[in-house]
Amino acid sequence: MCGIAGIVSQSGHTTAAQVIPLRDALTHRGPDAAGVWPKDLNEPAYCALGHRRLSIIDLSEAGRQPMSNAKGTVWITFNGEIYNYQSLRAELEQRGYRFRTGTDTETIIYAWECWGTDCVKHLRGMFAFAIWDAPRRQLFIARDRIGKKPLFYTQQGDRFLFASELQALLADAQTPRTINKIGIDRYLTLGYVPAPDTAFAGVYKLPPAHSLLLKLTPAGFSQSLERYWQLDYSPKHKMSEAEAHVALREQLTEATRLRLMSDVPLGAFLSGGIDSSIVVGLMAQLSGERVKTFSIGFADAAFDETAHARRIAEKWNTDHHEFIVKPQALDLLPKLVRHYGEPYADSSAVPTYYLTQLTRQHVTVALNGDGGDESFAGYERYFGNRVAEWMHAVPGAAWLAKNLGRCLPDSLHPKNRLRTAQRFLSVATMPMAQRYAHWVGNFHEADKLELYQREFAAQLNAEPQPDYLATLFAALPGYDPVDAAMSVDVQSYLPFDLLVKVDIASMANSLEARSPFLDHEVMEFAARLPLSLKAPGLKQKNLLKQAFADLLPPANVNRRKMGFGVPLGAWFRHELRDFTRDVLLSQSARQRSFFNASVIERYVNEHQNGQADHAFRLWNLLMLELWLQEFRPRL
């Protein structure tokens, strides 16, 4: 796992020295070694590449990057792991390619020489890489299918820059710092800025499962963006429940086995939930050593899962490490804002940072259960989507739901069942994309009309954009409501929220995170499983629980999903009470031309006085304001 950066110049006047500031802004991603190409720091070139290394496979000097082919004509800087590199290497050797190292990096170079832009279709793993093909004067950048590894880029005049993180691009003085208002609008709705946009105008994320070929021509840069993979939910497999159990077991076991490949100490995150428990169980069966497991908890019992994690640790006799978090949010928040580089409002980034920090004290690689929910129907909203569609088809059901929702009392406790029911019924009659936005979002269209100042709203209206979520749902005609919601999650919430959270938090602590459930072959198999097997009725993760019943204590299976949350509501009334007022109601915040200060003040007062629960909205606004203070973008 590493950090990568590079600059391509149409004029041929870039130098390796210009890449060093970008590269070294990524030191946390790769503290073990640093490299640049060309070796002569001041040699003019069309392309210069930088690399920071976190040594995982082949710890020798042979694994240093940037790396070239035998002729020195093709160069690569690579972040990630290719889990099938040994079988891929054998295939390439049969085709006549000769290898000098034992790295997966070199395999990508010869895959490029063999298959060109199709090389990505042969890779099984997580990756973001850039290949400079000098004879063709071409730069090829690519990102893995699911979006585990990030890649940002910008073009400014005759220069094209790319890097693993935004803060690396910002180390170049020419990278634009003008705010992207459309990105901010989507951030307020979703809590993240979805690709290809970022919070900065003119700076982009390469979307998951995409590659970009940049050619230097006499007329200037020529860019070709291509999507090379998409998860397909049809046709469905025709198999019995017993056959599905066996096939799923084989698929996930193999994905876990591949992710045990490491030349450094390895362990696992363990929450006590279904997904991480299965991964730990498989690791215990596959490994010849005691598995090292890591859990964190909270003093607030409503958010604490340590007892459930401990039960799994005892079952498999793991070398278990546990840490009760007493978050020092005031100390941690500025650090998180800097590392994420753009506004990011998932509060579980706080415990995730602490978990990766604890884990890195003992191992360099950790497996996790990410992706199980999105493939095996683990969220209540999937079934809410199914029930809501059923209501639309039954005369009178929608009217009854809407009126019943008005009668139910709201609650200040985020895990209250009545609150969940009220939240579902209040939007059940909406079109699918709109109700999904209400379930996953913080600010809805009516909220933003009230929140935005007239000038900011006018600027957004002057550049009308298609509704992001509605566009995703519109591309899924005929999908079952559960499949539709899972597909949208895989294309949005998973890559731009969950995977960003884990990548940034883990790499900030120089830790590599691996996810067997996110193996693309596992996901392809799961997507084509009939919902009658995978999630019959309203049963979450039904097939997963049955296929791995021997690995899961009943007490861990038969409990409500908790998620990896934090007690935000209480924080804003206690630990963060004064800090929130000082930041959101400051003179500098009031002077910005975005929001009506009176609306934000109302949110703060109502929440802190116990009149309403605005915790997620306040967190969203707080992280945005801290980002504005840290990066000072031009408005």
Side-chain angles (χ1 to χ4, degrees), residues 214-275:
L214 182 79
K215 297 180 179 180
L216 277 66
T217 72
F221 287 133
S222 169
Q223 288 189 27
S224 176
L225 182 68
E226 179 185 357
R227 182 169 195 159
Y228 64 86
W229 179 88
Q230 187 162 3
L231 194 59
D232 191 354
Y233 288 76
S234 62
K236 296 297 186 185
H237 298 299
K238 294 180 179 179
M239 58 177 59
S240 68
E241 189 172 38
E243 290 171 332
H245 288 176
V246 172
L248 174 57
R249 190 86 179 218
E250 290 176 350
Q251 290 265 2
L252 195 56
T253 300
E254 174 65 4
T256 304
R257 184 191 67 79
L258 288 172
R259 283 158 180 79
L260 297 180
M261 172 185 69
S262 176
D263 293 330
V264 293
L266 180 148
F269 300 154
L270 178 58
S271 69
I274 300 296
D275 308 328

Side-chain angles (χ1 to χ4, degrees), residues 233-239 241 244 373-378 382-383 385-386 478-487 525-544:
Y233 288 76
S234 62
K236 296 297 186 185
H237 298 299
K238 294 180 179 179
M239 58 177 59
E241 189 172 38
D373 290 312
E374 291 79 9
S375 284
F376 295 95
Y382 298 153
F383 301 96
N385 209 31
R386 173 179 283 173
Y479 271 48
D480 179 276
V482 174
D483 272 345
M486 287 194 293
S487 175
F525 172 75
R528 293 179 57 193
L529 282 169
L531 287 166
S532 59
L533 289 179
K534 185 164 57 178
L538 302 178
K539 295 181 180 179
Q540 295 172 253
K541 297 186 180 176
N542 180 70
L543 184 66
L544 198 61

Side-chain angles (χ1 to χ4, degrees), residues 11 54 83 181 335 465 542-543 628:
S11 65
L54 178 63
Y83 300 118
K181 296 180 177 65
K335 183 181 295 185
Q465 299 289 317
N542 180 70
L543 184 66
L628 290 166

Side-chain angles (χ1 to χ4, degrees), residues 311-502:
R311 194 179 297 118
I312 297 296
E314 291 170 357
K315 176 178 177 63
W316 298 109
N317 188 32
T318 70
D319 180 8
H320 191 56
H321 303 263
E322 196 174 279
F323 179 58
I324 301 299
V325 175
K326 296 178 181 177
Q328 302 296 317
L330 295 179
D331 297 331
L332 183 57
L333 288 186
K335 183 181 295 185
L336 289 180
V337 169
R338 284 193 295 273
H339 276 291
Y340 282 91
E342 61 181 342
Y344 176 78
D346 189 334
S347 60
S348 62
V350 174
T352 302
Y353 182 88
Y354 283 114
L355 175 61
T356 57
Q357 187 180 61
L358 165 71
T359 303
R360 186 61 178 91
Q361 296 172 17
H362 303 271
V363 300
T364 311
V365 177
L367 275 65
N368 61 47
D370 289 350
D373 290 312
E374 291 79 9
S375 284
F376 295 95
Y379 294 129
E380 291 179 345
R381 62 176 173 268
Y382 298 153
F383 301 96
N385 209 31
R386 173 179 283 173
V387 173
E389 288 299 294
W390 172 80
M391 286 179 172
H392 281 255
V394 177
W399 178 88
L400 180 62
K402 189 173 184 178
N403 285 279
L404 182 58
R406 291 171 177 168
C407 297
L408 287 177
D410 201 354
S411 170
L412 295 182
H413 198 291
K415 297 182 182 293
N416 182 280
R417 280 291 190 183
L418 278 179
R419 174 178 172 146
T420 301
Q422 193 271 342
R423 197 163 173 240
F424 164 72
L425 292 170
S426 65
V427 301
T429 60
M430 293 180 177
M432 193 179 293
Q434 282 184 254
R435 64 171 174 264
Y436 177 90
H438 275 74
W439 290 336
V440 303
N442 298 317
F443 290 93
H444 315 304
E445 291 309 310
D447 302 320
K448 291 190 289 188
L449 283 174
E450 177 187 46
L451 178 64
Y452 291 164
Q453 287 190 21
R454 186 176 303 172
E455 180 184 353
F456 185 60
Q459 290 171 344
L460 290 173
N461 292 332
E463 303 177 64
Q465 299 289 317
D467 184 288
Y468 174 69
L469 293 175
T471 301
L472 294 179
F473 275 105
L476 307 171
Y479 271 48
D480 179 276
V482 174
D483 272 345
M486 287 194 293
S487 175
V488 169
D489 268 357
V490 167
Q491 297 178 75
S492 57
Y493 176 68
L494 177 65
F496 308 136
D497 186 319
L498 296 186
L499 300 188
V500 170
K501 172 184 67 181
V502 174

Side-chain angles (χ1 to χ4, degrees), residues 20 28 32 37 86 112 144 160 173 195 212 224 242-243 397 400 407 453 456 502 516 553 569 592 595 605:
I20 289 177
H28 53 281
D32 296 333
W37 176 81
Q86 292 173 328
W112 162 259
D144 65 72
F160 180 94
L212 188 152
S224 176
E243 290 171 332
L400 180 62
C407 297
Q453 287 190 21
F456 185 60
V502 174
R592 299 192 199 283
F595 309 135
N605 290 335

